[in-house]
Amino acid sequence: MSKSQAKFVGQHAVITGGSSGIGKAIAKLLAQQGANISIIARDSAKLETAKQEISSLVINPQQRILAVTADVSKQEALEFALKKAIADLGHPQILITSAGIAVPGYFPELSIETFHQTMAVNYFGSLYAIKAVLPGMIAAKQGHVVLISSGAGLIGLYGYTAYSSSKFALRGLAESLRGELKPHHIKVSIVYPPDTDTPQLAAENKIKPPETKLMTETAQLWSANAIAQEIIRGMIQEKFAIAPGWEMAILNKLHSIIGGLLNWYFDKIVDKYRNKK
Ligand SMILES: NC(=O)c1ccc[n+]([C@@H]2O[C@H](COP(=O)([O-])OP(=O)(O)OC[C@H]3O[C@@H](n4cnc5c(N)ncnc54)[C@H](OP(=O)(O)O)[C@@H]3O)[C@@H](O)[C@H]2O)c1
């Protein structure tokens, strides 16, 4: 283990959405680097399986892995779960909000309920978690909050009106929170993952509009482990924006400048598809 990775030894990392995909992959890497971990999600069977997988990777017998059930969109339930995690493993030094949902579809066909639910999980689920752990971080004068946004949090994507809005909201939160927490020695990072091979993406692919599929099919597909490695590297380097791969790196730096060009390109794809129909 390198000196920089040793920084996670003995730390308590809370990971919402830690039972699957990117969240679980981060939990596994942190377990291999000596952290205590609390994972939070809804499905207790999935949580238990993930807990076993993560526990098998610990590097010392003192490490503790905890799985707590909660729906992050329900403030009281999430606070209750976080109280349990804090009572068992102490105040977390790290919070990673990876719990998220994505419901693609044509805007007229998406219900208002889908918009409410997507904001409730992706945005408010992250906000409630930050609010709950922040007093402990402020008192300890240390902490790292890592929000998982998306490439769709940098540019609005066809078919992703509900999802993109929620991921943009996270970007606004992270950008304004960063400066406020800096005097408290608490770091904020926001992650813009590209398409990653997880159950969420598999579910999205079944219902994505064909135009959205055409726009995204040429992008490189990442593994959850590769994204988790980029996130850990970004955390060690104390990066604010963690944008894995060259496509996300360019999008992160230049999204306002190249937005018009991307829209032109995407509109061409939509025109071509519709003219063929
Ligand atoms: N995969 C991609 O291509 C991609 C790209 C960019 C960004 N992201 C973002 O990365 C994050 C992780 O996604 P993933 O692809 O790893 O998805 P995933 O494998 O489906 O994992 C999602 C996790 O969130 C949990 N979750 C969902 N709704 C929840 C709720 N209401 N309360 C508590 N936990 C909840 C799930 O567990 P339960 O269902 O049991 O609750 C699961 O543990 C998400 O924020 C996603 O938007 C993913």
Side-chain angles (χ1 to χ4, degrees):
M1 186 190 302
S2 71
K3 207 172 147 195
S4 54
Q5 286 172 330
K7 82 179 228 156
F8 297 118
V9 172
Q11 296 218 329
H12 177 196
V14 168
I15 307 174
T16 70
S19 67
S20 177
I22 295 171
K24 185 168 79 174
I26 301 169
K28 285 170 146 183
L29 290 183
L30 286 176
Q32 287 170 315
Q33 293 173 30
N36 300 308
I37 293 157
S38 300
I39 53 172
I40 298 176
R42 291 165 305 174
D43 183 326
S44 50
K46 228 164 58 178
L47 268 173
E48 195 45 44
T49 308
K51 183 184 165 181
Q52 302 299 334
E53 281 180 50
I54 298 160
S55 300
S56 70
L57 297 168
V58 299
I59 54 166
N60 69 60
Q62 288 84 42
Q63 268 176 272
R64 301 266 318 271
I65 311 298
L66 186 73
V68 199
T69 315
D71 181 337
V72 297
S73 70
K74 309 269 188 291
Q75 187 178 4
E76 270 186 30
L78 180 56
E79 282 173 358
F80 189 76
L82 286 165
K83 274 192 187 137
K84 160 96 181 117
I86 291 167
D88 282 19
L89 303 185
H91 282 286
Q93 289 78 28
I94 298 168
L95 169 69
I96 298 168
T97 62
S98 190
I101 56 167
V103 185
Y106 296 116
F107 178 78
E109 290 164 20
L110 291 175
S111 68
I112 291 289
E113 174 50 23
T114 295
F115 282 80
H116 278 301
Q117 189 55 21
T118 308
M119 280 305 270
V121 176
N122 296 1
Y123 176 71
F124 282 103
S126 303
L127 181 74
Y128 300 149
I130 300 169
K131 277 275 191 190
V133 303
L134 204 54
M137 288 185 176
I138 290 174
K141 297 190 178 66
Q142 63 159 317
H144 199 153
V145 174
V146 181
L147 305 175
I148 311 293
S149 177
S150 166
L154 290 167
I155 48 157
L157 210 56
Y158 188 106
Y160 276 107
T161 46
Y163 182 70
S164 269
S165 314
S166 72
K167 294 298 185 177
F168 265 67
L170 282 178
R171 178 151 68 93
L173 176 65
E175 288 185 2
S176 38
L177 196 58
R178 185 204 59 80
E180 279 199 43
L181 296 190
K182 198 169 179 226
H184 296 284
H185 310 284
I186 299 165
K187 292 173 280 292
V188 175
S189 298
I190 182 147
V191 186
Y192 302 113
D195 272 359
T196 309
D197 190 8
T198 67
Q200 183 183 98
L201 187 67
E204 282 170 52
N205 282 339
K206 289 186 191 144
I207 54 170
K208 255 181 200 170
E211 294 91 333
T212 313
K213 270 195 193 143
L214 289 168
M215 285 172 194
T216 51
E217 68 187 359
T218 53
Q220 183 199 342
L221 183 65
W222 287 61
S223 71
N225 178 55
I227 293 297
Q229 284 182 9
E230 292 288 323
I231 292 171
I232 300 287
R233 196 176 6 255
M235 287 172 69
I236 290 169
Q237 293 170 354
E238 301 186 357
K239 277 189 174 174
F240 170 68
I242 301 174
W246 66 269
E247 285 158 326
M248 288 302 122
I250 290 175
L251 211 52
N252 174 43
K253 295 273 184 226
L254 301 176
H255 57 87
S256 302
I257 297 169
I258 61 172
L261 186 65
L262 280 174
N263 285 341
W264 172 83
Y265 174 65
F266 290 149
D267 290 350
K268 286 257 170 247
I269 291 176
V270 175
D271 282 350
K272 202 169 155 194
Y273 173 78
R274 299 213 157 198
N275 288 336
K276 247 181 25 191
K277 264 178 46 171

